[in-house]
Structure formats: C-alpha cells, structure tokens
Amino acid sequence: MGRFLNSFTVGLSDTSAELYEINPKPEAEEDALFPLLNAHAERLRDEVGGRAHWYRLDGTWFVAVVGAHDRRKTVESVNRQDLHRHGEIELDFSRDSDFKLIQRAIFDALESEIGRSDDYWFDNRRYRKRVYAENAEWSLRGFDVYPGVKLRLDAHDGLTLTLDPTLGTHSSETLADYLADDSWSRGRIEAELDDQFVFERPDRRTVTLVDILEEPVSEVEVEDGKSVLKYARQEYGDRFAERIDDTEPTVLVSFDSGDIYSAAPSLLRYAPTDKRPDEVSQLAAFGPEERWQRTREFLDVVRGFEIGNVDVTVDTDPIRREVSRYGYPTLWFGRDEAVKMAVGMENQTRPGQKITEEYWNPIKSGYLEKFGPRRTFGDLIETALVFPDEEYEAALEAYESIRNYTEEKLGLRLNERPAPFAYDVEEDVAEPGGLGTVRYHSRVSP
C-alpha cells in the first residue's frame, strides 16, 4: 500500500515472540481446528501474559506470544493438550505470518487500551479497525454521527500506522424503541435492520442481530443463574443497566467471533455500514486542513500503549519520504453522450457549483445516479478488482458494497463474486514511491 502524510512509524521495544508447541499435535478437521487453536491462544495469554495467536512454521502449528511476562516451559491447556515452550523467534515483518502476528497483537492491545477510556471506543471487527469518539458530533435524520479514524497497519521498512478520518453513524433510537413502535413489526425489524448494531456497554462491540425472543430480560438466564438484566447491572454498572426496562424482550446477538449472546435491546443501536444518509458521506468529505486536524486529534489516542511487556510507540510526525500526490481522476458517465467529470469543472448535477476535491466523492455518486455508468465497447460493463495480495478479503468486501449500490441505485446486477479471468498477473506498479506488488485479479460482466 502507499504511504501518505497521515502514516506514522511504529516502534517496538522488542521484536521477538515466544513459540509454544502443542502436544499432542492437533489433528482436528479444519472447521474445528481454528476454534481449538484460538482456545489455546487464549489460555496461553491468560497464563503468561502478552498477546497470543496461532502461528504456522514449516507445516507445524504453534501458538506464538508477543510480550509474555512469564516464560514457563509448560502450560496445561484445553482438549487435554499441553503447550511446551519451543523457543524464541525474531519477527521479520516482511513475512506474512510474522506481520499478521504483530498486527493482531497491536490491534488487540490497542482495543484493550482504548477500552479503558471513557472518551473513545474501538471497533475491532476482522476487516474493520476503527476508533470512534464516545460523544456524537452531529444528529442527522434519525442518526447520531460520531467522529473517528480508520486504522491500517503496513510493513514498509518497518511498521507504519495510517489514520484515515471518517464518520460513524448509529441510530438515535435503540432497538427497544423500534420494538415498542407499532409501525415496526418484528418481521420488519429483522428484514430492514439486517446490518450491524453497536452493543453499548463498558467495552463496546459491533454485533449482528440473530433473533428476538419472547421472554423478557428479567427471566432469561445467562450466567450462574443471573438474568440478562441482573448480569448487566453487575457487569456493566448502573450507567447501562438503568436504561433497561425489565419487561423488554431478550434478543440474541452474534459477535465477530461467531459467539452468540443474550442482550437487552435497550443497549443496541443500529449502525448501518451502507445505508447511512448521503449527507453523512458529504460531511465525511473533509478538506486537507480538517483531515489533518482530525488525524492529529486521534493520533494522541493511539500513539503509546503496551503489548504485555513490549512498549509500542507511534511517531507524532508523519512519514514524508517517498510520498507522492495522486490527483483525482477524470471520469466519464452516460450511455450515449459522454458526460465528463473533473476537478474544477462545473457540477452538472448542481448548476453553479464547482467540482472540488473536498466533495469529489459525493459529486461522483450524484453523476452516477443521474447519468449512469459509461458503457464499454459491446455495451458490456466490466469490473476489475485491483488489490495487494494481503487485502484479498477487504477487496471482496468492497466489491460487495459496490455490487449492492449498483443494483439498488442503477438496477445493474454484477456477479455475486468475481471469478478469475483466465489468469492472474503480478506486476510492480511503476509509480514514484511504488505501491508494491498488485494482483490484477479478475474481470466480470453482468
């Protein structure tokens, strides 16, 4: 990935990891193997400290620990297996396995650090690392809008952390408010509020709604005979428990890990990823000065923390070497007569308004809705995914968002998942500073 003026060097006081061998070696099928490895990692983290994750070396599965406080030789683990200390390795972040280990450790540690703050919370979904402010900056059409930053860790002659300012949206009303509204049946809620919810508790989490039960929160037991309501009061505190009505129905929610929990709908707020108002996208089109100001504000939040006994520091000055500026491209729209869109031209969706970098993205969406996409030779629409090797899943996630948008707004249906176009080619992109190796993955037609 490229380096930008909102990318910062990350320093570690120690770049080694402890490897623990699993004995006897795991022989579970693939669908059961990773839950087992995750259980071993959690056990090891609890016993020796730091951050643990499964690690594959020369075809053998290990559990690797970054920042361990204790170097004991053997740890009794789950499934009648033991973890034996195998030795220490020096991490090389140019290796994918080592980079993923430190990436996981950094984001998990950062989540714990921010979780102790009353002013911010960390969205640590698998492909979505973001930090949001606790307090909303605006309210807009039934949504509260929160300032935040997207986080991305890369390995460029070391580690770099990129902060990209963004906005998050949560519904102003809770799921309990929807359930109490006669115009919102349970079927409608399950059909229309099918995206993510924010589970408001001391350590906020993003969850998916699984089911709405008939039993109230005062009767459904979750742990040691405690009801959902009593558990919330003891574990979350009165600040959260006092929002809950003891007669409201219990709901089941799924975490990113796949674990399902019982929860109170008064602590859930709808947080759509693709269905937020267009005005929010316009608000998120920050100009250069505002973008830098917001970056600096959140840099103070993430610039120093610990992975066990390893100190992590983030430079306060951005990386400036080998940084190039990539301008906004000229785009063409329309089926018959081509309509040109470029920075500095008049906005043809709003006469009298110029196209600027600050509002380039929402203006582009307006052109797409008004004029439609430009057709290629033979009246075919081709879509290409271009992405670094390690961003395959993120590229598919982005493609799915585009696919939903084009079908909803334009009536165009792209393939559900792009299939290989007979070949994969890897080339170094010849740009100043280089974007690294990029795979031209596929082309699809509707």
Side-chain angles (χ1 to χ4, degrees), residues 24-35:
K25 288 183 171 59
E27 297 180 354
E29 297 294 331
E30 186 169 333
D31 58 347
L33 175 61
F34 291 104

Side-chain angles (χ1 to χ4, degrees), residues 18-30:
E18 299 285 337
L19 285 189
Y20 279 78
E21 189 174 4
I22 305 169
N23 184 41
K25 288 183 171 59
E27 297 180 354
E29 297 294 331
E30 186 169 333

Side-chain angles (χ1 to χ4, degrees), residues 137-413:
E137 191 168 3
W138 300 283
S139 291
L140 183 66
R141 291 177 53 191
F143 287 92
D144 294 332
V145 183
Y146 297 81
V149 287
K150 305 174 190 176
L151 301 178
R152 190 183 74 242
L153 189 72
D154 296 297
H156 293 296
D157 302 324
L159 297 175
T160 62
L161 183 68
T162 299
L163 285 70
D164 187 13
T166 187
L167 295 175
T169 51
H170 308 163
S171 60
S172 301
E173 295 185 330
T174 68
L175 179 56
D177 295 324
Y178 284 103
L179 289 168
D181 187 339
D182 292 338
S183 66
W184 283 86
S185 65
R186 296 192 179 193
R188 182 185 174 192
I189 289 173
E190 292 171 349
E192 296 187 25
L193 305 186
D194 58 348
D195 211 325
Q196 302 286 336
F197 283 80
V198 169
F199 190 174
E200 294 187 320
R201 58 184 201 176
D203 56 334
R204 288 195 187 193
R205 288 290 190 277
T206 306
V207 298
T208 302
L209 180 64
V210 175
D211 198 6
I212 302 171
L213 307 181
E214 296 292 340
E215 296 82 2
V217 292
S218 57
E219 296 181 9
V220 174
E221 295 184 359
V222 292
E223 184 180 287
D224 298 331
K226 300 173 188 175
S227 67
V228 174
L229 177 58
K230 187 174 181 180
Y231 182 86
R233 185 175 292 115
Q234 291 185 358
E235 298 296 325
Y236 306 157
D238 290 340
R239 182 164 70 96
F240 296 94
E242 66 186 10
R243 306 179 195 176
I244 304 173
D245 188 312
D246 59 3
T247 63
E248 64 187 57
T250 304
V251 296
L252 300 180
V253 296
S254 173
F255 285 71
D256 190 47
S257 63
D259 296 331
I260 295 178
Y261 287 82
S262 300
S266 289
L267 300 183
L268 298 176
R269 294 186 185 272
Y270 183 49
T273 54
D274 299 320
K275 300 177 183 178
R276 66 186 191 178
D278 292 339
E279 292 90 336
V280 176
S281 297
Q282 295 178 13
L283 290 172
F286 307 120
E289 291 185 6
E290 184 179 7
R291 178 172 292 277
W292 174 240
Q293 179 183 351
R294 289 175 178 270
T295 298
R296 291 304 301 240
E297 289 174 0
F298 280 90
L299 180 62
D300 290 337
V301 181
V302 304
R303 68 181 183 181
F305 54 97
E306 297 175 346
I307 306 173
N309 62 6
V310 175
D311 294 326
V312 182
T313 57
V314 181
D315 282 359
T316 56
D317 293 324
I319 296 172
R320 297 180 182 274
R321 63 184 184 277
E322 299 180 11
V323 174
S324 299
R325 179 178 178 82
Y326 294 86
Y328 288 80
T330 298
L331 301 180
W332 298 87
F333 300 85
R335 181 183 181 92
D336 298 317
E337 183 179 352
V339 179
K340 181 180 178 181
M341 173 189 158
V343 172
M345 293 182 62
E346 183 175 345
N347 180 1
Q348 296 194 39
T349 64
R350 290 191 178 182
Q353 181 189 75
K354 292 288 186 180
I355 299 173
T356 63
E357 293 183 351
E358 288 81 359
Y359 292 99
W360 187 87
N361 200 49
I363 291 174
K364 175 201 64 179
S365 299
Y367 269 64
L368 192 59
E369 292 179 19
K370 181 173 181 179
F371 303 111
R374 186 67 182 158
R375 300 289 177 139
T376 61
F377 179 76
D379 209 33
L380 293 177
I381 298 175
E382 294 184 339
T383 304
L385 293 181
V386 182
F387 54 89
D389 287 340
E390 68 273 11
E391 299 291 346
Y392 175 65
E393 294 292 342
L396 291 182
E397 186 179 80
Y399 174 80
E400 185 63 23
S401 298
I402 294 171
R403 179 176 172 272
N404 292 336
Y405 181 89
T406 56
E407 183 171 0
E408 178 183 348
K409 300 292 186 181
L410 306 171
L412 300 175
R413 300 191 65 182

Side-chain angles (χ1 to χ4, degrees), residues 86-127:
H86 180 76
E88 183 180 277
I89 60 169
E90 187 69 19
L91 298 178
D92 178 358
F93 302 131
S94 66
R95 290 199 301 258
D96 188 57
S97 58
D98 292 15
F99 174 73
K100 287 182 177 178
L101 174 64
I102 198 64
Q103 182 184 50
R104 177 74 173 263
I106 284 177
F107 285 135
D108 284 354
L110 191 54
E111 179 182 20
S112 296
E113 179 72 19
I114 293 175
R116 291 190 283 269
S117 169
D118 293 331
D119 300 320
Y120 301 93
W121 71 282
F122 193 73
D123 186 353
N124 193 13
R125 277 176 278 176
R126 188 175 180 185
Y127 300 113

